[in-house]
């Protein structure tokens, strides 16, 4: 069974640009969550999608957005990039059904803003 | 605010010893608890989940949950150098929450 796949693995962008990251969940998982990981702040929740609906959003500015498609694949977009957006962006998928809420992470996308 | 506190580490143990990692959480509505292992430069890997009070064992790993004390721990028996990593505890709060809240992690070093 394939795991969570994130693309691309690495990105270098310039301040002010925008970026789109992609996540394909484990087959059968309908919940996709996004997290930002930095050395100072640790893992911070961005948002969660289930069946194309955003159910939770973390405390990030509106420059961070996401969506989920009918096949459960998800994308997140960051507009007007800032140096502080440099981080490891992680996607996790889960079945999110009672008794089974385990979340599995992809390999992440390392974003560097210069 | 939902928070998770982990002992800061780094924690060093000799090979073959028991490593004990601890985590306290502030949200009494928390229902699901997880331990992740993260090697340097890699993504978090789920190693244990626990939903009810008591112990849960899986191979060399034992997770312990005490909801009354708002405390969850992870014991690693017969520690190996390959266990050297950062261990993150995480939880969902009560019904209707779909976000994992993570601790900052404890760095474990197993000395050969």
């Amino acid at each position: 069974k394939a795991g969570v796949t994130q693309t691309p693995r690495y990105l270098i962008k310039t301040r002010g640009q925008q970026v789109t990251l992609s996540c394909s969940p484990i087959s059968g998982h309908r919940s996709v969550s996004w997290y930002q990981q930095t050395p100072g702040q640790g893992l911070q929740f961005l948002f969660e999608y289930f069946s194309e609906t955003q159910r939770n959003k973390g405390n990030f500015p509106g420059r961070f957005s996401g969506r989920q498609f009918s096949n459960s694949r998800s994308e997140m977009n960051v507009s007007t990039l800032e140096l502080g957006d440099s981080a490891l962006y992680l996607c996790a998928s889960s079945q999110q059904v009672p008794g089974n809420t385990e979340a599995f992470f992809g390999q992440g996308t390392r974003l560097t803003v210069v | 605010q939902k928070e998770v506190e982990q002992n800061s580490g780094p924690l060093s143990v000799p090979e073959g010893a028991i490593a004990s990692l601890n985590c306290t959480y502030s949200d009494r509505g928390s229902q699901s608890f997880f331990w992740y292992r993260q090697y340097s430069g890699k993504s978090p890997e789920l190693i244990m989940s626990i939903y009810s009070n008591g112990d849960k064992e899986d191979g060399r790993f034992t997770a312990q949950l005490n909801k009354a004390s708002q405390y969850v721990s992870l014991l690693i028996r017969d520690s190996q150098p390959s266990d050297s990593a950062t261990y993150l505890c995480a939880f969902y709060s009560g019904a209707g929450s779909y976000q994992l809240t993570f601790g900052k992690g404890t760095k474990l070093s197993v000395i050969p």
Side-chain angles (χ1 to χ4, degrees):
Chain A
K1 195 172 186 181
V4 180
T5 303
Q6 290 188 246
T7 57
R9 292 290 310 282
Y10 303 93
L11 268 178
I12 300 176
K13 290 287 188 179
T14 304
R15 274 181 300 174
Q17 288 186 312
Q18 75 166 17
V19 67
T20 299
L21 312 181
S22 180
C23 173
S24 293
I26 293 170
S27 178
H29 286 192
R30 294 163 65 189
S31 169
V32 174
S33 300
W34 289 88
Y35 295 82
Q36 180 195 68
Q37 188 174 32
T38 59
Q41 296 298 317
L43 271 153
Q44 301 286 313
F45 172 79
L46 282 156
F47 25 68
E48 187 263 358
Y49 289 88
F50 186 90
S51 294
E52 301 179 70
T53 299
Q54 185 183 91
R55 298 191 298 185
N56 270 136
K57 188 176 193 306
N59 190 25
F60 278 82
R63 301 185 296 107
F64 292 81
S65 62
R67 58 178 176 168
Q68 186 181 34
F69 303 95
S70 59
N71 62 357
S72 294
R73 190 178 70 85
S74 178
E75 289 181 346
M76 69 163 281
N77 184 278
V78 188
S79 62
T80 319
L81 284 165
E82 301 177 359
L83 293 179
D85 297 332
S86 295
L88 179 64
Y89 289 88
L90 292 158
C91 160
S93 79
S94 171
Q95 290 187 337
Q96 282 296 341
V97 296
N100 191 343
T101 58
E102 295 178 338
F104 299 90
F105 283 89
Q107 296 166 300
T109 295
R110 173 79 60 185
L111 172 65
T112 302
V113 182
V114 297
Chain B
Q1 183 173 347
K2 305 175 180 65
E3 291 186 352
V4 185
E5 297 290 335
Q6 290 187 246
N7 51 353
S8 54
L11 176 66
S12 293
V13 300
E15 184 175 353
I18 296 175
S20 176
L21 305 166
N22 306 308
C23 180
T24 58
Y25 59 95
S26 61
D27 185 355
R28 285 194 172 275
S30 301
Q31 299 293 322
S32 309
F33 302 86
F34 307 90
W35 283 99
Y36 287 84
R37 175 176 64 197
Q38 187 172 25
Y39 293 112
S40 180
K42 302 294 186 182
S43 64
E45 173 191 9
L46 178 67
I47 54 172
M48 289 289 282
S49 60
I50 186 165
Y51 300 95
S52 55
N53 281 328
D55 294 359
K56 178 182 178 182
E57 186 174 318
D58 184 0
R60 296 186 295 112
F61 298 98
T62 299
Q64 299 173 318
L65 175 61
N66 184 323
K67 290 187 179 181
S69 300
Q70 296 177 248
Y71 176 92
V72 59
S73 65
L74 179 71
L75 300 177
I76 306 175
R77 291 181 299 281
D78 189 23
S79 295
Q80 301 297 309
S82 59
D83 295 326
S84 298
T86 296
Y87 289 80
L88 302 158
C89 68
F91 71 94
Y92 293 109
S93 62
S97 172
Y98 305 106
Q99 71 176 74
L100 281 169
T101 299
F102 283 86
K104 292 292 177 69
T106 299
K107 187 170 184 178
L108 172 67
S109 292
V110 180
I111 312 301

